[in-house]
Structure formats: C-alpha cells, structure tokens
Amino acid sequence: MKILIVEDQVRLAQLVRQGLSERAYTVKIEHTCAGARDALCEDSYDLIILDLGLQDGDGLDLLREWRKAGFKEPVLILSARDTVQDRVKGLDLGADDYLAKPFSLEELLARVRSQLRRQSDVKETVLECGGVKLDLLQLTAELHGQRIDLTRREFALLEIFMQSPGRILTRTYISEKIWASHYDVDTNLLDVYMSRLRTKLDTSPDKPLFKTIRGVGYQLL
Ligand code: CA
C-alpha cells in the first residue's frame, strides 16, 4: 500500500510517516503543491493525506485539480481548518475523509485503514468506457458488444487506461505497470502495443479512443 503525505510541517509529516511505516505502508512525503503535483503524475497511490495550508498554494486547489483531471486516489484531508463549512467544502470537492488538527495518530491510522478497506471493497470487476467493456474476472473484452481478442499484455495495458479514463498516463507510469520497472521506457515497445490496441479498438477515425500526448504519454478519451 502506497501513501502520499502532502504536508508542509516537516516534523509532523515525519511523525505520520513513522506511524504508517511501522504498519508496513510505503510512504512518500511532499511538502509543497508543486511536489505533490509531480508525485501524482509520476506514480499512483492508494491514499493521499492532504494538508490544506501549504506554502505555495492551497490543498483544496490541488484536490479540485486532481478530481477534474480524473485522479481517483482517495484523499484524506488533514487540516487545522475545522469548521463545518471547511469540512463540507473539502468533501464536496472530492475528499473522501476529513480529520482536523490536532489529531491523534491512532485515529489517523484507523481512518487510513478504513479508506483502504473501502477501496478494496468497491473494486469493480467490469469496466466500461467509450463502447469498450472489460471483464476483469473473465478476462474478456468487447467493443460495442462484439468480442475482441486481446493478448494478456494488451488486456493489461487497456485495463490501466480503463481504470483512469480521461487521465493522461505517462509513459513511465504505463511501462512500470506493464513491464518490469527496469525496463527502458525510451524504447518504442509501448508505442508498438498502443498501435496494436488502436488497430483493434480505435475503429472510428472521427471519434478516436486514445489520444497521444507527444513526449508524455497517452490518454483514454
Ligand atoms: Ca500546513
């Protein structure tokens, strides 16, 4: 389980990290909005613990931005702003939970467990987007009701996109999910696979399924 902590108070961030690490979570800390932005573009997380008052911006703006971009990672806001209006605003913007500072580490850990549990419960086994239907249990794919034959690797690649429709997935992110992390992402193997997927799925030229973001990656529209 990977958790991202966005918190400008260095000691507080370390304290939380220590508590999480002792329970075998993998933790990354970012102190700024800019750092958090990069971190989420480069990697995926099972949970984000988000402070609101950050030196280079407001955590709420980050949250708004992420949800707009289609990032679905659960977000737990950890903030000194603790009025009802603050909580409502955070939750309405797409936060999954809200804990006011000062807090007890035990309660934070309980809420983290609760979020991660909920996440594993709601994992969907059938994904649908743009006329494509993926059954993750049967390992079958359909396009507008017609069965499409995909290799295991093509299926895995398509699944990553279907998990995050609308989100721009970087080449590094995709390659690390599909191939071993030591794989050299500069080679064109990913493009070869994308081209195969397009041949099988992107059958309508005026309504493409995938968009190439030059030098960055791909997006399922
Ligand atoms: Ca702060």
Side-chain angles (χ1 to χ4, degrees):
M1 289 291 181
K2 275 162 67 177
I3 299 178
L4 174 65
I5 300 174
V6 186
E7 170 64 68
D8 61 344
Q9 296 174 52
V10 176
R11 285 194 58 195
L12 178 60
Q14 284 169 349
L15 183 82
V16 174
R17 169 160 64 188
Q18 194 185 341
L20 291 167
S21 301
E22 281 168 7
R23 283 146 186 93
Y25 298 114
T26 306
V27 179
K28 182 172 173 64
I29 295 177
E30 289 294 342
H31 299 297
T32 61
C33 290
R37 245 178 225 119
D38 289 348
L40 202 55
C41 281
E42 284 162 12
D43 216 339
S44 67
Y45 293 89
D46 298 295
L47 179 70
I48 299 165
I49 297 175
L50 179 65
D51 179 27
L52 297 185
L54 297 162
Q55 280 159 14
D56 61 342
D58 192 320
L60 287 179
D61 291 331
L62 267 184
L63 177 60
R64 187 183 290 119
E65 196 180 297
W66 285 337
R67 292 303 184 235
K68 207 172 155 198
F71 288 72
K72 291 196 180 115
E73 280 83 352
V75 171
L76 189 162
I77 291 177
L78 187 59
S79 172
R81 300 181 203 162
D82 66 346
T83 66
V84 171
Q85 289 90 332
D86 289 324
R87 290 167 193 257
V88 168
K89 197 169 172 194
L91 294 169
D92 276 349
L93 279 176
D96 299 87
D97 198 0
Y98 200 113
L99 183 60
K101 294 176 187 169
F103 61 95
S104 90
L105 188 58
E106 281 312 309
E107 180 172 7
L108 176 66
L109 293 171
R111 289 188 186 221
V112 166
R113 284 196 297 275
S114 153
Q115 280 304 321
L116 297 175
R117 218 169 31 232
R118 190 183 307 177
Q119 204 182 344
S120 59
D121 285 342
V122 297
K123 248 185 200 135
E124 296 172 45
T125 55
V126 175
L127 303 174
E128 286 192 83
C129 180
V132 181
K133 187 171 164 185
L134 271 192
D135 188 321
L136 304 182
L137 294 180
Q138 307 288 332
L139 297 179
T140 56
E142 286 178 10
L143 177 65
H144 302 302
Q146 298 287 317
R147 180 74 176 267
I148 304 285
D149 281 325
L150 298 177
T151 65
R152 287 299 284 263
R153 196 148 274 180
E154 289 165 353
F155 189 94
L157 181 57
L158 182 56
E159 182 186 339
I160 292 175
F161 283 101
M162 302 277 291
Q163 297 280 12
S164 307
R167 176 170 165 183
I168 297 169
L169 303 184
T170 64
R171 304 176 64 85
T172 311
Y173 176 86
I174 300 169
S175 300
E176 282 182 358
K177 289 268 181 186
I178 300 288
W179 292 281
S181 54
H182 57 77
Y183 186 78
D184 179 3
V185 297
D186 288 335
T187 69
N188 64 2
L189 192 55
L190 174 59
D191 300 303
V192 172
Y193 271 91
M194 286 306 299
S195 155
R196 286 192 202 166
L197 267 191
R198 279 179 157 148
T199 308
K200 291 184 178 180
L201 299 168
D202 238 350
T203 45
S204 145
D206 37 78
K207 204 172 170 291
L209 199 60
F210 295 103
K211 186 175 172 188
T212 305
I213 315 291
R214 273 182 70 93
V216 178
Y218 293 93
Q219 180 182 23
L220 177 65
L221 299 171

